[in-house]
Amino acid sequence: MPAIEGAQRPFWMHQVVEYLIGIVLIGAAIQAPEPVVPAVMGGLVVMNAAIARGPASAFPLVSRTVHRWLDVVVMLLLVAAAFQPAFDVDSTGRLLLCGIAFVMFFIWLNSDFAEKAISKKNKQQVKQARQERLARPQSEELGKKAGRVVGSGVNAAKRMNQKRKEAAQDGLARPQSEELGRKAGRVVGSGVNAAKRMNEKRKEADNE
């Protein structure tokens, strides 16, 4: 029967309560006129709680799932022990055994028997996540270095492109300056030739 939703008790509390129940039975057996059955059943309850895997276990031999069904067996044995004919049990002892069985059933019905242990797969995932966290700073540093290298390459490419543009502009300006120099040379040459001709004409006019 599944546990009631929203009323589940942690397994350690389930174990502690079973220890207390077993101690109560053993304590009652000491004062009872017929102590054998309550003492044996009290020891059985304590042993059943001690062998289950959990925070309060003394000998973790069985899983919580197995312990869940061992509890059912113990409850049936408590009721059977109260009315068995082999050993004498006084009326107080019978009432106590049946009451303990009812209390155990109520606790069993509202306890969480889910295993909390981490599986091997989960352990590997946790280990892998831890390694990724450790490797993350190194990858970030490599990313920063790669970014610097890329940035340097981009800046170098921009500088080379700027130099090419400047060289192209210089190449376009050179023919224009050469053409202007040639024109200026022609003008100067024409002026010199004109001055020479004018000087020769003056000389001829003076001779006449």
Side-chain angles (χ1 to χ4, degrees), residues 49-118:
I51 64 173
R53 293 195 195 111
S57 62
F59 310 100
L61 301 176
V62 299
S63 66
R64 298 183 187 183
T65 304
V66 174
H67 175 79
R68 181 176 188 175
W69 299 111
L70 286 177
D71 276 350
V72 176
V73 174
V74 171
M75 286 184 281
L76 294 175
L77 287 175
L78 284 169
V79 176
F83 299 101
Q84 51 80 32
F87 299 94
D88 293 334
V89 181
D90 60 285
S91 57
T92 304
R94 288 193 181 93
L95 184 62
L96 181 63
L97 290 171
C98 292
I100 291 295
F102 176 76
V103 172
M104 282 191 66
F105 175 74
F106 180 78
I107 295 168
W108 176 85
L109 198 65
N110 297 280
S111 295
D112 182 13
F113 294 92
E115 293 285 349
K116 305 296 182 183
I118 300 175

Side-chain angles (χ1 to χ4, degrees), residues 162-195:
Q162 186 66 26
K163 288 180 179 180
R164 286 176 184 171
K165 287 181 179 179
E166 291 175 357
Q169 289 175 357
D170 291 341
L172 291 173
R174 267 177 206 161
Q176 294 177 0
S177 60
E178 290 177 357
E179 184 65 24
L180 290 174
R182 288 172 187 169
K183 288 181 179 180
R186 292 193 201 102
V187 171
V188 172
S190 299
V192 171
N193 292 331

